[in-house]
Amino acid sequence: MNISKTLPVHADRDRGPSSSLTLTTNPILLGGENRSGTTLLSILLDSHPDLVVGPEIDFTEPVNLGPHILAVCDMMDLGDPRLAGKTKDTVDPEWFDGGHFVVQCERFGLDRDNVRSVVTGLMAERGTDLSTLEDRCLLINAIGEFRREQTGARRWGLKLQRRIQDIGTYAAIWPHAHFIHIIRDGRDLTASHFKTVPDWGYRTVAEAAHGWLDVVTRPRQAAPDGRYLEVRYEDLVTRPRETIERMLDHLGLPWKEAVLHHAEHAHALFDNPWGHPAAEAAGKPLYTGRNGRYLEDLTPEEIDEFERIAGKELEQLGYELSRPASRRTG
């Protein structure tokens, strides 16, 4: 299959000294710390008739990405027990990354034959195993363009998740992309990690605080002018119209009432959740009950520890500290 005829990647390759890749597509790339509301954000934007926006697709592992994905598709078709679970503890570690990639593509609306076609075509065009970052971004671009053409949307989007920290790299590859970074109170995020995803989330307050700080602050240092927008999760759920209007203005899109009724519309993720930890919550109407959960789910000592590490950034983002610095322990 010739991918340039059936699944255009719209690539202009700059073969200068840096061998950089420049793509002419205009995706919407969403970022944020895990458990910060990125899935809800993607579903809200996916409700806009001009957009098709999916959950994250992890594309940095394994090394031989292309052949690995094709092998995984065949193994899944055969019901191979090495891919029977959903975590690295229940799947043969050798095949977890490829299996997760295929599952994530299915959450975005591609079936395995679609995945095979995109991967096989791009491998043939590039003559590689899709190991370099350039090839991997071309693959993500081809997947996004496939969904855009399949749905008739004007633009596609995906979650970069924590890779928003490397926004400079992706902004150079996609110079027409827009980035939206959702930020959540780091104390609530820590509580969510401890209570909701203990198998893979942060295990200690210090780890969570430093990780949250990195994801929150690093993108600003390399964010492209006019193409980067930060929104707070708390504003999204308490003032949804105002916050979504700001996002749509950023994207140059008209207001559509459908985005306020995301739970009433069809989304590929709802049809194929495959264990996604936020799919069920994202399928419900906007809910503010989890704001301030840390007051119940974290101990006073854990709250103090987080605020000692990240209190300054919390305040700068408009979050009120539980106690003044002078009264915190330690």
Side-chain angles (χ1 to χ4, degrees):
M1 181 185 68
N2 186 338
I3 195 169
S4 64
K5 292 182 180 179
T6 59
L7 299 172
V9 294
H10 302 290
D12 298 320
R13 296 174 179 81
D14 173 9
R15 297 303 182 187
S18 64
S19 297
S20 62
L21 171 72
T22 304
L23 297 169
T24 61
T25 50
N26 60 345
I28 299 157
L29 301 176
L30 312 177
E33 179 59 284
N34 297 323
R35 308 303 297 170
S36 62
T38 53
T39 300
L40 174 62
L41 177 61
S42 70
I43 291 296
L44 287 170
L45 292 176
D46 189 55
S47 301
H48 195 288
D50 291 337
L51 303 177
V52 56
V53 181
E56 70 277 8
I57 296 180
D58 295 314
F59 57 92
T60 56
E61 298 290 345
V63 174
N64 59 331
L65 182 63
H68 195 87
I69 292 170
L70 295 178
V72 162
C73 286
D74 292 341
M75 292 167 68
M76 286 181 163
D77 284 350
L78 295 172
D80 194 303
R82 289 173 292 178
L83 289 166
K86 295 183 176 66
T87 71
K88 288 189 176 181
D89 294 332
T90 59
V91 177
D92 186 326
E94 179 182 357
W95 299 104
F96 175 83
D97 291 314
H100 200 46
F101 185 98
V102 175
V103 166
Q104 289 175 323
C105 287
E106 291 175 337
R107 289 171 177 164
F108 191 24
L110 289 81
D111 61 31
R112 289 174 204 158
D113 285 340
N114 298 149
V115 175
R116 284 189 182 95
S117 295
V118 175
V119 172
T120 301
L122 189 56
M123 286 176 61
E125 180 179 311
R126 301 288 287 173
T128 71
D129 287 347
L130 309 184
S131 297
T132 67
L133 178 64
E134 178 178 286
D135 284 346
R136 291 163 191 263
C137 289
L138 278 165
L139 177 58
I140 292 300
N141 198 74
I143 288 170
E145 283 295 293
F146 175 84
R147 283 294 285 152
R148 183 186 63 79
E149 294 185 354
Q150 186 183 54
T151 61
R154 288 175 52 192
R155 299 178 70 175
W156 61 269
L158 276 176
K159 290 164 52 176
L160 284 177
Q161 206 72 2
R162 301 185 87 252
R163 286 189 298 273
I164 193 75
Q165 295 176 90
D166 301 316
I167 190 173
T169 297
Y170 298 109
I173 291 172
W174 279 286
H176 304 289
H178 284 86
F179 299 83
I180 299 179
H181 183 184
I182 188 166
I183 295 172
R184 184 183 184 186
D185 186 322
R187 297 161 297 185
D188 279 343
L189 183 140
T190 301
S192 182
H193 274 249
F194 288 0
K195 300 292 184 179
T196 310
V197 289
D199 54 333
W200 58 261
Y202 289 124
R203 304 297 178 87
T204 68
V205 171
E207 184 185 13
H210 288 296
W212 179 82
L213 273 175
D214 281 344
V215 178
V216 167
T217 60
R218 282 182 54 186
R220 298 175 193 146
Q221 301 168 17
D225 291 342
R227 295 196 285 134
Y228 173 76
L229 178 70
E230 287 183 2
V231 297
R232 298 196 326 168
Y233 168 81
E234 294 78 12
D235 296 334
L236 185 61
V237 297
T238 60
R239 299 193 298 275
R241 181 179 289 271
E242 173 187 335
T243 306
I244 296 171
E245 282 182 342
R246 188 158 64 95
M247 291 192 293
L248 295 180
D249 285 345
H250 173 69
L251 300 174
L253 292 173
W255 171 260
K256 297 293 182 180
E257 199 70 19
V259 294
L260 289 180
H261 306 282
H262 69 282
E264 301 171 15
H265 302 289
H267 302 278
L269 177 60
F270 295 170
D271 294 331
N272 305 293
W274 305 141
H276 194 291
E280 182 178 356
K284 298 177 181 178
L286 292 174
Y287 173 63
T288 63
R290 291 288 78 190
N291 289 349
R293 65 176 297 176
Y294 73 92
L295 294 169
E296 295 182 0
D297 292 346
L298 298 182
T299 67
E301 293 75 19
E302 288 173 330
I303 295 170
D304 276 351
E305 183 178 3
F306 192 99
E307 292 181 358
R308 283 198 303 271
I309 296 170
K312 182 178 179 181
E313 186 63 29
L314 284 171
E315 287 188 299
Q316 288 180 343
L317 287 167
Y319 298 113
E320 184 177 348
L321 299 187
S322 60
R323 287 187 288 173
S326 61
R327 293 177 54 202
R328 281 182 240 142
T329 60

